[in-house]
Amino acid sequence: MMTALAGRVGALTVPGSIPSPSQGVWDLGPFPLRAYALAILLGIVAAVILTRRRWVERGGIADDVLEIVFWAVPFGIVGGRIYHVISSPDKYFGAGGQPWKAFAIWEGGLGIWGAVALGGVGAWIGCRRQGVQLPAFADAVAPGLLVAQAIGRLGNWFNQELFGGPTTLPWGLQIDDAHLPAGYASGTLFHPTFLYELVWNLGAAALLIWLDRRFKLGHGRVFALYVVFYTSGRLWIELLRIDPAHYIGPFRLNVWTSIVVGLGALVAFILISRRHHDRETTLLRNPPDVQGDEDTAPEVTSQPQP
């Protein structure tokens, strides 16, 4: 009896596959609620909460985070969309493509490389306006970016997109026939790359936080490690994916991007570490000069000439 019960419990707790959500859009009157957009928004909120906490721990002002995010998020979304369209142009400008859908961001399609690059420009603007150092803020936001990316991958799950090749593993992903790639039989299970990246990003975020607290990293080194960790995971996950993509030689464009960007970040981390061993002593771009402060500088008056 105990053996039968154990077998039944095991059958309930160890699924043979991961089902895909039956829908990714819910109509709330005239307004559609899209799981992809919701995942992106939840990721942004989680990143802001974590970044505010880390920024305050480093001696910053909590409200500065919201001011900087006000610039970084729109820039990041535009940059992510531009990279996606450039790296997947056939869908929009190829034979049978629909160019206007290049603007349909609610249907999914954000490239992380463009989001980070242009989002960094927005963060730079925000940091200048708030008078704080960009490298210090980048270190504070780095773990939050990984958390946001992890949550955002749930949108791919709901959209049944960007999965890997076929697999017989017990956590294979079920894909509805409507989203099944050409050439694959109904019922084929695929690698759940959304789940791989979600787990990888959360683990990398936790590791970043631990390393930062343990070694008091600063001057952009946490952000450099974020890029190294993310690209390391994205590299092997990208090799599993079977969605249409541009190839350069034997590899997808994003594989090459992961290699180049990851190595560049590693070199940057090493070079910065040679110059700085601790965190910044101030988060301000132009800290006040105590010796030249008006309250402490000697008073200078003009004297009549003899």
Side-chain angles (χ1 to χ4, degrees):
M1 179 176 178
M2 290 299 294
T3 302
L5 179 59
R8 178 172 298 181
V9 171
L12 291 175
T13 57
V14 182
S17 61
I18 300 175
S20 289
S22 59
Q23 64 183 102
V25 183
W26 298 270
D27 293 320
L28 302 179
F31 304 103
L33 177 63
R34 300 179 182 275
Y36 184 89
L38 184 60
I40 296 297
L41 291 175
L42 289 177
I44 292 173
V45 171
V48 170
I49 293 174
L50 180 57
T51 301
R52 279 169 60 93
R53 179 177 177 180
R54 286 175 51 77
W55 187 243
V56 171
E57 288 176 351
R58 295 171 100 87
I61 300 173
D63 288 345
D64 283 346
V65 175
L66 294 178
E67 295 292 336
I68 297 171
V69 167
F70 174 81
W71 290 92
V73 169
F75 273 72
I77 292 175
V78 172
R81 189 59 177 179
I82 291 174
Y83 182 89
H84 167 73
V85 173
I86 291 176
S87 59
S88 304
D90 293 342
K91 180 179 179 181
Y92 308 100
F93 307 108
Q98 298 174 296
W100 71 268
K101 283 202 170 184
F103 301 96
I105 192 172
W106 55 88
E107 294 184 358
L110 290 175
I112 184 61
W113 314 115
V116 172
L118 209 53
V121 174
W124 174 75
I125 295 174
C127 285
R128 286 186 64 87
R129 291 174 61 89
Q130 298 305 116
V132 300
Q133 297 185 44
L134 177 61
F137 182 79
D139 283 343
V141 78
L145 290 177
L146 285 167
V147 172
Q149 290 169 234
I151 297 174
R153 281 303 178 190
L154 292 174
N156 299 138
W157 180 42
F158 276 90
N159 284 355
Q160 300 192 42
E161 61 183 2
L162 307 186
F163 42 83
T167 180
T168 57
L169 293 171
W171 53 82
L173 179 65
Q174 300 175 18
I175 297 296
D176 295 341
D177 290 349
H179 300 276
L180 199 65
Y184 291 96
S186 178
T188 301
L189 300 180
F190 299 88
H191 279 286
T193 50
F194 84 91
L195 182 60
Y196 296 164
E197 189 167 331
L198 185 153
V199 173
W200 179 274
N201 287 348
L202 291 180
L207 180 58
L208 271 185
I209 293 173
W210 180 82
L211 289 173
D212 188 25
R213 291 177 177 174
R214 174 66 176 80
F215 298 103
K216 305 297 181 182
L217 301 175
H219 302 279
R221 287 186 293 169
V222 181
F223 188 84
L225 285 180
Y226 148 71
V227 177
V228 172
F229 292 165
Y230 176 73
T231 53
S232 298
R234 183 64 182 267
L235 176 61
W236 66 268
I237 292 172
E238 193 73 26
L239 290 172
L240 294 174
R241 284 170 45 172
I242 58 174
D243 54 287
H246 275 277
Y247 280 75
I248 300 178
F251 299 124
R252 296 158 64 100
L253 173 61
N254 282 334
V255 171
W256 290 111
T257 305
S258 295
I259 294 173
V260 173
V261 174
L263 289 176
L266 180 59
V267 171
F269 176 81
I270 294 173
L271 293 178
I272 296 172
S273 296
R274 289 181 176 179
R275 295 184 59 187
H276 304 284
H277 302 287
D278 297 312
R279 287 181 182 168
E280 300 87 345
T281 56
T282 178
L283 302 179
L284 302 178
R285 290 184 60 248
N286 298 305
D289 186 352
V290 176
Q291 293 183 348
D293 191 275
E294 293 182 357
D295 294 333
T296 58
E299 182 178 355
V300 179
T301 58
S302 60
Q303 299 293 332
Q305 298 294 325

